[in-house]
Amino acid sequence: MSETGKGVNAGKLASNVQKRITRAQEKMMQKLGKADETKDTVFEEGVANFNKQMAEGTKLQRDLRAYLAAIKTMHECSKHLQECLAEMYEPDWFGKEEVDSIAEDTDLLWGDLHEKLVDTALISMDTYMAQFPEIKARIAKRDRKLVDFDSARHHFASIQKSKKKDEVKTAKPLTLMEKAAPSWAQGIISAHQIAQTNLTRCQAEEELARAQKVFEEINSDLQDELPSLWDSRVGFYVTTFQSIAGLEEKFHREIGKLNQNLCNTLTKMEEQQEIKKADKTTGKSGAAANHNATVESDSTKSASKFDSPKVGSLLDMDVDAVHVVNASVAPQADTTATTKPNADASVTNGSSDAELPSGFLYKVKALHDYGATDSDELELKAGEVVFVMPFNNPDEQDDGWLLGVKESHWLQKKDFTAKGVFPENFTQRL
């Protein structure tokens, strides 16, 4: 660095130090009440509003950042929770693909909420708060320039006061030294004193004008900006919180739909598991019922074979022997005629076993209405009784489904044309 540069920097540093000293002295004099201070009540009110607005904005900015951090944390927690459900959800359970799709959509919704909050709220908040530091610095500069203006004003006033004292001194009799000086020298001395006083006064006046101009320029700008900034806070708050509320409302509406879909899927999955569980239990009961029906059928066949007499041709019968037999049992003929109908197997005694026609396994009663969706299905109304029959081919039977004929149809038609399949969990075994 050249010597000239060093000199300029040194001079500037000395000037800044002198300004700080002068300002400190002025502030001290003002606090002690020995110097008046320029006051502007309207501007001071504007500065108080500015400080309040900046404090509110700083708090809002901090809380908004904390809110976004919490949204991000919730996003991560929701993602982990959905991944846990997807891992536990077995592939053969109902709605596996739906559950995976819901997890993906939930993750997208959380990410979209965070991104839009940053774009519409946080970036606007940062832009809004960026103007405060610059204005705060200008307010501080305005305060310094006000002190400089007061100091220059007081200095000029003191010069003016000194000039009056010098004029009084000039009117006084000459001192012995002044008398001893030649007459031409006395005039030079007086002129020098007057010139020195005028120079100092002019310098003070120029300094006062310069300080006043700088202060008024920055003061005028702030007088316009501070009220405008204070009024802008209302619109900013409305826009910010409307954006947040709108994004949250849309997010919760969409996430609510996904949660409802998840609940419905889980409910259906649970129902399917219950049906499978019931099918396993019904399968065991059906096997036992088929075994009992087979045993009963075999017993009936054996009994029929044993009880039914062999009837041959009438030509093979010994007529004489018949007459002999009839004669010997004649007194008992009425009794035989009376008890003979009991041997007929088509007459029932009213018991539940006798009411079930042959060829059927058991009876069930419909607990709920069931609408047939295929031609081979049996439509049911709550309260109807159905005779359950075995499948011709056991491999054709689906889990949880039975084959049967309505009791009302069987009693009228006595045929199997109206048979059909129906869900077992819609009925109750009688």
Side-chain angles (χ1 to χ4, degrees):
M1 184 179 293
S2 63
E3 295 296 330
T4 303
K6 292 181 179 179
V8 171
N9 289 337
K12 187 175 181 180
L13 178 62
S15 176
N16 290 336
V17 172
Q18 183 60 43
K19 284 183 179 180
R20 292 182 180 180
I21 294 174
T22 302
R23 289 167 183 163
Q25 290 175 345
E26 181 66 22
K27 297 296 289 184
M28 181 63 69
M29 295 294 289
Q30 290 175 355
K31 290 181 179 180
L32 294 176
K34 294 183 178 182
D36 62 315
E37 179 181 2
T38 302
K39 292 286 187 180
D40 189 340
T41 306
V42 175
F43 183 81
E44 291 176 357
E45 182 180 351
V47 172
N49 291 336
F50 170 83
N51 292 330
K52 181 177 183 293
Q53 184 178 1
M54 182 172 62
E56 291 176 349
T58 301
K59 184 178 184 302
L60 177 58
Q61 186 182 39
R62 181 175 63 251
D63 292 342
L64 182 58
R65 290 183 180 277
Y67 171 75
L68 288 173
I71 291 290
K72 191 172 183 180
T73 301
M74 279 296 298
H75 180 192
E76 293 297 325
C77 293
S78 174
K79 184 176 181 180
H80 294 328
L81 190 62
Q82 294 289 342
E83 289 175 350
C84 182
L85 176 61
E87 291 175 359
M88 294 187 301
Y89 213 93
E90 297 183 6
D92 61 337
W93 287 358
F94 174 84
K96 170 60 176 175
E97 294 182 357
E98 182 71 15
V99 170
D100 292 340
S101 176
I102 291 173
E104 294 178 2
D105 293 342
T106 301
D107 180 59
L108 291 176
L109 278 178
W110 278 107
D112 186 63
L113 174 64
H114 184 271
E115 181 180 355
K116 289 184 177 179
L117 282 172
V118 171
D119 293 340
T120 60
L122 184 60
I123 293 179
S124 299
M125 187 77 228
D126 292 342
T127 303
Y128 172 76
M129 291 302 299
Q131 58 189 332
F132 286 90
E134 187 269 339
I135 296 178
K136 182 179 180 181
R138 289 167 59 197
I139 292 175
K141 182 178 181 180
R142 183 257 186 198
D143 291 341
R144 294 194 300 270
K145 297 306 178 182
L146 177 59
V147 174
D148 293 341
F149 170 67
D150 285 343
S151 178
R153 183 168 55 83
H154 295 151
H155 179 62
F156 179 74
S158 65
I159 294 297
Q160 289 287 81
K161 188 176 181 180
S162 298
K163 179 182 178 182
K164 293 181 180 179
K165 291 182 179 180
D166 291 340
E167 291 176 353
V168 173
K169 289 182 180 179
T170 303
K172 290 181 179 181
L174 298 176
T175 61
L176 293 176
M177 181 176 294
E178 291 173 344
K179 290 181 180 180
S183 58
W184 58 269
Q186 292 178 3
I188 294 175
I189 293 173
S190 297
H192 175 72
Q193 291 176 346
I194 294 173
Q196 188 69 29
T197 301
N198 290 336
L199 178 62
T200 303
R201 186 175 63 83
C202 289
Q203 290 176 343
E205 188 174 7
E206 291 177 358
E207 182 180 353
L208 173 61
R210 184 169 55 254
Q212 183 176 1
K213 181 181 179 181
V214 172
F215 167 73
E216 288 180 350
E217 286 179 354
I218 190 172
N219 182 68
S220 177
D221 292 340
L222 290 174
Q223 290 280 13
D224 295 335
E225 292 181 26
L226 290 181
S228 177
L229 178 63
W230 173 251
D231 294 337
S232 70
R233 77 194 192 283
V234 177
F236 173 75
Y237 294 159
V238 170
T239 302
T240 299
F241 282 95
Q242 279 183 344
S243 299
I244 295 175
L247 290 172
E248 281 191 351
E249 189 274 333
K250 181 179 179 181
F251 168 77
H252 288 298
R253 184 175 67 249
E254 296 299 326
I255 205 73
K257 294 179 181 178
L258 292 178
N259 288 334
Q260 185 61 48
N261 292 340
L262 180 60
C263 289
N264 294 339
T265 302
L266 294 176
T267 300
K268 291 180 181 178
M269 184 273 287
E270 185 180 25
E271 291 176 352
Q272 291 293 332
Q273 295 299 316
E274 291 294 333
I275 291 174
K276 289 182 179 180
K277 182 179 178 181
D279 290 343
K280 292 181 180 180
T281 304
T282 305
K284 295 179 180 180
S285 301
N290 289 334
H291 175 72
N292 294 336
T294 302
V295 173
E296 181 180 355
S297 177
D298 293 341
S299 300
T300 303
K301 291 179 180 178
S302 300
S304 300
K305 183 177 180 181
F306 179 81
D307 295 335
S308 301
K310 293 182 179 180
V311 179
S313 175
L314 292 176
L315 298 177
D316 296 335
M317 297 181 63
D318 188 346
V319 178
D320 295 334
V322 171
H323 286 293
V324 173
V325 171
N326 287 339
S328 64
V329 298
Q332 299 177 356
D334 293 339
T335 305
T336 304
T338 303
T339 59
K340 183 177 179 180
N342 291 335
D344 189 354
S346 63
V347 179
T348 62
N349 58 7
S351 65
S352 59
D353 291 339
E355 291 176 357
L356 186 67
S358 62
F360 296 105
L361 302 177
Y362 52 89
K363 295 193 297 185
V364 295
K365 181 179 180 181
L367 300 177
H368 311 283
D369 292 348
Y370 175 73
T373 58
D374 206 345
S375 59
D376 64 339
E377 295 183 3
L378 194 64
E379 186 165 332
L380 301 177
K381 296 293 183 182
E384 287 186 325
V385 177
V386 181
F387 292 150
V388 179
M389 57 193 301
F391 283 82
N392 294 331
N393 184 1
D395 295 335
E396 296 178 355
Q397 182 177 6
D398 296 328
D399 291 341
W401 290 81
L402 300 176
L403 177 65
V405 178
K406 291 184 181 180
E407 181 185 42
S408 59
H409 177 83
W410 176 259
L411 294 177
Q412 293 178 4
K413 304 293 184 179
K414 295 294 191 302
D415 60 38
F416 299 97
T417 57
K419 67 180 179 179
V421 295
F422 56 92
E424 182 181 7
N425 60 346
F426 275 69
T427 63
Q428 179 181 12
R429 184 168 178 173
L430 298 178

